[in-house]
Amino acid sequence: GFFCVISHDFTIFFVFLPAVSKRMFYALNKYQNLQLVLALLLFAWSAYTVFVQMTPFPPEGQPVLYQAIYSLWGHAPVLCKSIVLFLLLFSVLLLQHIFLTNKFSDNRTFLPVVFFLLFLNAGHFLQHLTPAFFTMLVTLLVLLINTNQENGRPVKNKVFFSGVLISVAALVDLGALWLILFMVFALLTDKNYRPKDILVLLSGILMVIIYLVSYYYLTDSWPSVQNSLRQLTFFAFFTHISDLAVLDWVLIGFLLLSGFYVIAVLKIHYDTKLIVLRKHYMLVVFLCFLMSLSILLTATTMPHTLIYWVVPFSLLDGMLAQLKMRRYLNDILIIAVFVLLWF
């Protein structure tokens, strides 16, 4: 009887979902004020979650800088939550700027921000502060640096700053190391690429490492750092794979399948666009692939690691929602992802 009721409810859900989703996304795409109101409501929900429910993820096996953040949280939780909320707001503004600057939409839209906040809240990713939260912010900064064509600073300054950001992020989260490959890919596909740009990137990374090694050595703290390095944990996804529930596997599989579908649909769309737009789209796709590797590398366990997909999926879903040729399947997939994340 129970399964019959569930089956009946899901049948009704999928019968009426196409019509409902079409009207809903039509209204969202047409009325920007509605998008803005929804984004503000979602951010208010996020702020409530951060201040009322957020707790730090355990520091065991994590890099040294995250351990310092965890220690600070124990002494000043309100300050830490305020900083997290500020970083979240900064991430929202960065995402909006990236989407519009790279002309992923012909019209002004707040849908990427709506999807971004929906991902964070539906997936309960704001209930725990994980190292991946900081990687999410650095990912947006690196993405902005490498796709903003209106920035007039020399390329080497952008590359060096990206190296510094990635190096600092890796001290919080090992998953950020994959952003080095993102930078290399971005440099190789840049029309102004020069081989020495790779050396500039490495110099930015090494500068942070040299500074920290010197600091810990001069303050006689090096033995504690060595101990932390020995305790670092890698590939927590595989060591805790037996802990995953059936619903977790369903969610992972559905996210992968829907991701492949969205990428394929958007590729057909961007194949007819200018080269610079195709490059920006490929950067987002490559970022999605690298964030998948971060899920496997990091010491953070599932399902908290799915936050790595929030940035690329928000951008891809934002692009998908802008397509003029609307398909029921597109809207159904977006809604189904949020429903599965919630449960």
Side-chain angles (χ1 to χ4, degrees), residues 259 263 283-293 309 312-313 316:
I263 289 171
L283 283 176
V284 176
V285 172
F286 189 62
L287 177 65
C288 190
F289 169 71
L290 292 179
M291 291 299 98
S292 301
L293 297 181
W309 276 337
F313 275 27
L316 291 172

Side-chain angles (χ1 to χ4, degrees), residues 301-316:
T301 55
M302 284 283 294
H304 307 290
T305 50
L306 293 180
I307 192 176
Y308 286 111
W309 276 337
V310 169
V311 170
F313 275 27
S314 298
L315 291 170
L316 291 172

Side-chain angles (χ1 to χ4, degrees), residues 183-201:
M183 275 300 306
V184 172
F185 180 79
L187 289 173
L188 292 177
T189 55
D190 193 287
K191 63 180 180 180
N192 299 317
Y193 165 72
R194 293 171 297 178
K196 69 176 183 179
D197 290 338
I198 302 294
L199 296 178
V200 175
L201 172 66

Side-chain angles (χ1 to χ4, degrees), residues 29 32 35 96 99-100 105 107-112 322:
N29 275 315
Q32 297 174 8
Q35 299 172 16
Q96 178 69 9
F99 195 83
L100 296 182
S105 172
N107 304 310
R108 187 175 183 84
T109 178
F110 297 100
L111 281 180
Q322 303 305 311

Side-chain angles (χ1 to χ4, degrees), residues 80-126:
C80 291
K81 290 179 180 181
S82 300
I83 294 174
V84 167
L85 190 60
F86 171 78
L87 294 178
L88 179 61
L89 176 60
F90 187 46
S91 299
V92 166
L93 297 176
L94 281 175
L95 182 71
Q96 178 69 9
H97 183 71
I98 289 169
F99 195 83
L100 296 182
T101 300
N102 293 287
K103 306 199 185 314
F104 289 134
S105 172
D106 295 331
N107 304 310
R108 187 175 183 84
T109 178
F110 297 100
L111 281 180
V113 169
V114 171
F115 291 141
F116 177 76
L117 294 172
L118 268 176
F119 271 117
L120 290 176
N121 286 285
H124 312 289
F125 297 130
L126 295 177

Side-chain angles (χ1 to χ4, degrees), residues 64 67 222 224-234:
V64 61
Q67 294 183 15
W222 185 243
S224 63
V225 174
Q226 288 179 310
N227 185 53
S228 297
L229 291 174
R230 284 192 292 266
Q231 294 178 0
L232 281 177
T233 302
F234 299 88

Side-chain angles (χ1 to χ4, degrees), residues 28-49:
L28 281 175
N29 275 315
K30 183 176 181 181
Y31 302 108
Q32 297 174 8
N33 290 337
L34 179 60
Q35 299 172 16
L36 182 58
V37 169
L38 185 56
L40 291 173
L41 290 174
L42 287 169
F43 187 80
W45 182 12
S46 303
Y48 173 82
T49 303

